C-alpha cells in the first residue's frame, strides 16, 4: 500500500517538519508516496515478445472497502504517471496531475472510493521501462525493450488489480491515452469494469495524429545523441530531439484560440524601441514558452519511453480485428459508459468521442456523453472546468448510490 | 528576358531534339529557362542592415504590351520559386508550381498578360541568399545573411518592375506567403498595383502558426550539422533537422480529412499475416509519405533559407505600426482586391481572409471574396479546382476588359 497521509493524520514519515504541518488545501489527499509492486510471472505481449518480469509504480488514495467494490483505476496519458493526486513526499511542489479531480469531496471522491494511480509499463517514472536494467544483460534495456500496446498495459494492470484483490473496478477512467486504456479494459476485461470513463479520447488515431507522432519520433531518432536508443551507455540523452518532440506535441494539446489568448503575437523582450531583433533567437512569447516546455521535458522524460508510448497510441484500434467496425469491437463490453469531449480539442475532436458513443448505443450500452464547450483544446481534460467536473462528479455520485458507497461528506453544512 | 518557347515556335535552344518536339499540353507556356537579373544598388532592409547588391532569378511568360499595362507579378510561398509555369529547360519533369493557373488560355492567360515569376531574395533557387557568396568575405553568407521581411521582398521586387519598365502591374498575385507579398505591395506601393490577388493567406501569423515555425527552426538549428548556419564551410547540410522541419510543415498544409482520405491508417508493408512489425520503422503509409517528403526536401532546400522565410512569415503584420488596426494599415491601398480562401485550410483559415475583406470594406475598396469549399487544406491553393480557377479566371477576364487587353482566344470555337 502507498503511504497515505491525510490532512487529519500527518505522518512522522512526512519530509516536512512536524511543527510545520503543510498547508494542505481542503479536498487534497495530502502528502503521498508511491509504492513499487513487482510481478514475477512473464507477461506475454501483443508483439509476440515476452517480458520476463516487471514492476509497476503505484499510488493509492482512500481505502478499499470490505466488499472491495469501491476501487477506481486511473489511467494516464503520454507524459503523466501514477502520481495522480496529492503532494509528492519527495517534492512538495509536485502536485498530482489530476489533483483537481481526485480527492476527498472532489469529483472522484476519495472519502468513498479507493483510487489507484499506476505508471504505465514502459514509462519512466518508476515502472519497468527502457531505462530499467535488462535482467539478461545487466544493462538498460534501451532499444531492446519490447514495443507495447494499450492492450499490454491493460494486461499488466489486470495483475495489479489481482494484487489488490480487486475483482471488479467500480470504474476505470482516463483521459486521452488514458481513455484508450479505459476503453480497452471495458473490451478485454468486461467482467472487471463496472463503469468506463473515457475523456478527450478516440477509438483510433487519425493519419494526422500518426503524422505528428512520427515527426516527433524522427526528431528523437535522428538526434545523434540517441545512439540507436542506447544513449544510456553513452551517458547522454537526445535532449534536442526530445525537446522538439515535446514542442510539436505541446502545440497539438492547445487550441489555436487558446494560444491566441495566452500568447497572441506578444514579443518576449522587444528591442529598446519596441522593435524586433531580426534574428532567430526568441522574439515572441509563444517561442519562449514552447522552448521552455521542450527543454524542461527533455530533462526528465526518457526518449525511448516517448517512442514507445507514441507507438502504442498509433497502434490502438480495437476495431482492427473486427473489419473496422467499432460496434463489433465493443460487443464484449458490459460496463456503463461516460464519455466527455471538448469542443476545441483538435487532437481528439468531439467527433471521435461521438463515434464511440454511436458504437456503444448500437450495442445498447448505457452511455452518458458530455461535450464541453471549452477553449483550451485537448489540455482541457486536465483543467478545472466547473461543468466538466460537475458531469464527472454527478456520474461518480450515481455509481456510489448504485454500489451503496454512501453520501458525499457534508462540509460546513453543504455538500463538499 | 526569359527564353520562352511556345508550342508553335519550338526554339533551337531547347534541350530536346528538334525532330522530337516535346508533347506540350494545350495551354502550357512550354519549355522555359530562368534569367538572373543583377541589382547593384545597395538595398536598405527593415532590420537596418543593407544588402550591398543582389540578383533575382526570374521567369516570364507572354509578352509585355506596348503600353506596359498587362504585367502580372506572381509571388511564391515558402518552398517555391520563379518557376511558376511551363517545363524547365533543365529538367523536363520540372513543371512550374502554378502551371495549372498560368498559361495560354488559363486563368492567368499568357496570351493577354505578361507574367513574371520571381524567386524571393534570400531563397535558394537562383536569387541571392544565404548560400550565395558574401562579397566581403568571398565565402557563403551563411548565418551572416540579413534577416528579411515581406516588405524587403517587395522593395527588391519593385526594382525588378523598374528593370522591366513596368510602372504599374495589372495585378500582383500570390498564395500563402505569396499573398502576404501581394498585400504588402498594395500597401507600400499603391500606385504600382492595379489589382491585388491574395489567396489562402493571412494578415498575420497566429501564435499557433509561429509555434509551428519555431519548432521547425529548432529542429534545424539543433541539428549538429547546422554548425551555426555555416554548414557550407563544413561541406554538410543539416538534413535531419531540415527533414523534420518539412514534415511538420507538410502536416499543416493538409487537412485532417484530406490525410484521412489519402492515407487513413493504411499500413505500408504489413507483416505476412497482415500484422504490425512492432517497431519504430515505417508502419503506416502516412509515415512513409512524410519521411519521403522530408528527405526529398532536405536534398534541395537550403536550411538557412528555411529559417529566413519562416521568420519573414512570423514578422509580417502590416497592422503592427497602426495599433493593430488592419483597416488603418490598408488605408494607403488603392488597388481592387480579390481574396480566396479554402474551408479546410487550418493553417490560414477563411476567417483570416475575412478579416482582410472587412478591413478593405472599411476603406471602401472594391473587394471580391470567394470561400471555396475544398477538402485539401492549405495546399488547395496549388490544386486544380474548377470553382477556384473559375473565380480567378473571371477576375482576370474583367481586368482584361478594363485594360483593353482583348478577348480570350477561341479554341475550336469555344472560349479556351
Amino acid at each position: 500500500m502507498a503511504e497515505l497521509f491525510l490532512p487529519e493524520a500527518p505522518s512522522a514519515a512526512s519530509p516536512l517538519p512536524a511543527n510545520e504541518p503543510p498547508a494542505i488545501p481542503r479536498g487534497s489527499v495530502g502528502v503521498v508516496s508511491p509504492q513499487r509492486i513487482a510481478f514475477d510471472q512473464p507477461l506475454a505481449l501483443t508483439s509476440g515478445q515476452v517480458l520476463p518480469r516487471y514492476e509497476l509504480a503505484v499510488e493509492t488514495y482512500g481505502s478499499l472497502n470490505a466488499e472491495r467494490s469501491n476501487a477506481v483505476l486511473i489511467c494516464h496519458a503520454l507524459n503523466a504517471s501514477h502520481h495522480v493526486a496529492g503532494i509528492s513526499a519527495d517534492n512538495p511542489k509536485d502536485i498530482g496531475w489530476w489533483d483537481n479531480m481526485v480527492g476527498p469531496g472532489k469529483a472522484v471522491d476519495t472519502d468513498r472510493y479507493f483510487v489507484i494511480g499506476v505508471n504505465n509499463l514502459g514509462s519512466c517514472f518508476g515502472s519497468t521501462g527502457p531505462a530499467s536494467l535488462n535482467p539478461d544483460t545487466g544493462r538498460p534495456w534501451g532499444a531492446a525493450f519490447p514495443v507495447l500496446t494499450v492492450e499490454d498495459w491493460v494486461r499488466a494492470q489486470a495483475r495489479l488489480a489481482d494484487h489488490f484483490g480487486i475483482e471488479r473496478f467500480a470504474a476505470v477512467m482516463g483521459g486521452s491515452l488514458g481513455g484508450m486504456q479505459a476503453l480497452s479494459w471495458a473490451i478485454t476485461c468486461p467482467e472487471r469494469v463496472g463503469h468506463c470513463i473515457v475523456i478527450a479520447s478516440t477509438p483510433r488515431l487519425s493519419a494526422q495524429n500518426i503524422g505528428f507522432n512520427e515527426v516527433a519520433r524522427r526528431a528523437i531518432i535522428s538526434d545523434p545523441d540517441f545512439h540507436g536508443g542506447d544513449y544510456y551507455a553513452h551517458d547522454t540523452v537526445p535532449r534536442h530531439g526530445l525537446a522538439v518532440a515535446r514542442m510539436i506535441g505541446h502545440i497539438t494539446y492547445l487550441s489555436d484560440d487558446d494560444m491566441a489568448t495566452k500568447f497572441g503575437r506578444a514579443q518576449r523582450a522587444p528591442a529598446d524601441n519596441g522593435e524586433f531583433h531580426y534574428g532567430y533567437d526568441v522574439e515572441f512569447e509563444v517561442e519562449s514558452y514552447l522552448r521552455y516546455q521542450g527543454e524542461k521535458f527533455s530533462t526528465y522524460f526518457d526518449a525511448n519511453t516517448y517512442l514507445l508510448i507514441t507507438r502504442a497510441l498509433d497502434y490502438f484500434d480495437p476495431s482492427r480485428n473486427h473489419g473496422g467496425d467499432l460496434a463489433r469491437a465493443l460487443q464484449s463490453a458490459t460496463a456503463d459508459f461516460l464519455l466527455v469531449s471538448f469542443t476545441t480539442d483538435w487532437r481528439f475532436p468531439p467527433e471521435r468521442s461521438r463515434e464511440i458513443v454511436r458504437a456503444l448505443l448500437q450495442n445498447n450500452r448505457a452511455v452518458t456523453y458530455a461535450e464541453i464547450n471549452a477553449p483550451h483544446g485537448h489540455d482541457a481534460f486536465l483543467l478545472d472546468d466547473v461543468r466538466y467536473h460537475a458531469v464527472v462528479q454527478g456520474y461518480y455520485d450515481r455509481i456510489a448510490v448504485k454500489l451503496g458507497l454512501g453520501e458525499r461528506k457534508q462540509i460546513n453544512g453543504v455538500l463538499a
Side-chain angles (χ1 to χ4, degrees), chain A residues 108-147:
Chain A
V108 185
D109 178 7
T110 52
D111 286 335
R112 292 178 291 170
Y113 291 100
F114 174 67
V115 177
I116 302 174
V118 55
N119 188 217
N120 281 352
L121 193 60
S123 182
C124 49
F125 298 112
S127 292
T128 299
S132 307
L133 296 186
N134 178 345
D136 287 350
T137 65
R139 290 183 290 111
W141 280 94
F145 195 81
V147 172

Side-chain angles (χ1 to χ4, degrees), chain A residues 27-370:
Chain A
S28 167
V29 298
V31 178
V32 289
S33 294
Q35 54 183 318
R36 295 183 70 176
I37 300 167
F39 299 89
D40 292 327
Q41 290 291 96
L43 184 73
L45 304 171
T46 311
S47 65
Q49 287 191 264
V50 174
L51 199 63
R53 63 180 303 283
Y54 64 95
E55 293 186 348
L56 294 179
V58 172
E59 284 184 8
T60 70
Y61 325 103
S63 305
L64 189 60
N65 63 11
E67 301 80 12
R68 299 173 185 270
S69 66
N70 69 333
V72 172
L73 179 67
I74 306 272
C75 303
H76 70 73
L78 207 159
N79 66 321
S81 74
H82 52 282
H83 183 37
V84 175
I87 300 161
S88 168
D90 292 335
N91 174 4
K93 287 185 179 166
D94 183 7
I95 307 295
W97 58 270
W98 228 350
D99 189 76
N100 59 27
M101 182 70 88
V102 175
K106 291 186 180 169
V108 185
D109 178 7
T110 52
D111 286 335
R112 292 178 291 170
Y113 291 100
F114 174 67
V115 177
I116 302 174
V118 55
N119 188 217
N120 281 352
L121 193 60
S123 182
C124 49
F125 298 112
S127 292
T128 299
S132 307
L133 296 186
N134 178 345
D136 287 350
T137 65
R139 290 183 290 111
W141 280 94
F145 195 81
V147 172
L148 299 176
T149 63
V150 171
E151 290 74 16
D152 292 329
W153 283 326
V154 172
R155 272 190 280 272
Q157 291 163 3
R159 291 192 184 167
L160 183 67
D162 297 341
H163 166 86
F164 284 111
I166 297 161
E167 274 184 34
R168 180 180 171 86
F169 283 106
V172 178
M173 174 182 188
S176 191
L177 172 58
M180 293 179 177
Q181 293 172 70
L183 199 61
S184 186
W185 262 97
I187 292 170
T188 62
C189 306
E191 71 290 347
R192 304 192 76 164
V193 183
H195 299 80
C196 177
I197 303 178
V198 178
I199 299 176
S201 193
T202 178
R204 70 186 75 77
L205 293 202
S206 69
Q208 189 191 69
N209 294 148
I210 296 172
F212 279 123
N213 280 350
E214 170 64 3
V215 183
R217 285 190 296 263
R218 295 312 301 168
I220 291 170
I221 290 172
S222 65
D223 184 326
D225 285 331
F226 182 65
H227 295 289
D230 290 321
Y231 44 89
Y232 318 102
H234 294 79
D235 200 23
T236 184
V237 290
R239 64 184 182 88
H240 291 305
L242 201 50
V244 167
R246 177 59 168 177
M247 290 168 82
I248 296 166
H250 211 91
I251 297 175
T252 70
Y253 304 150
L254 304 177
S255 74
D256 190 21
D257 281 354
D258 198 32
M259 290 185 83
T261 306
K262 273 191 180 133
F263 311 110
R265 296 179 52 84
Q267 287 171 252
R268 175 68 180 169
D272 286 344
N273 52 1
E275 257 301 332
F276 292 119
H277 299 282
Y278 296 105
Y280 303 110
D281 283 341
V282 163
E283 288 272 22
F284 297 95
E285 285 287 356
V286 65
E287 295 176 299
S288 170
Y289 175 80
L290 289 173
R291 282 197 200 186
Y292 174 77
Q293 293 294 335
E295 283 164 19
K296 190 176 73 172
F297 189 71
S298 73
T299 64
Y300 73 83
F301 205 82
D302 181 64
N304 282 314
T305 290
Y306 201 90
L307 302 185
L308 182 148
I309 296 190
T310 55
R311 207 39 149 174
L313 274 158
D314 291 352
Y315 285 139
F316 183 67
D317 179 10
S319 76
R320 183 177 144 81
N321 292 327
H322 299 274
D325 184 341
L326 185 61
R328 274 176 53 204
L330 286 165
Q331 265 176 355
S332 59
T334 56
D336 289 355
F337 283 79
L338 169 64
L339 283 102
V340 181
S341 72
F342 300 91
T343 47
T344 57
D345 182 352
W346 62 278
R347 182 175 167 82
F348 299 152
E351 178 50 28
R352 298 285 83 80
S353 288
R354 285 187 224 124
E355 197 181 336
I356 301 172
V357 170
R358 284 193 297 268
L360 288 167
L361 292 176
Q362 279 184 259
N363 286 297
N364 296 312
R365 301 258 43 87
V367 188
T368 303
Y369 174 52

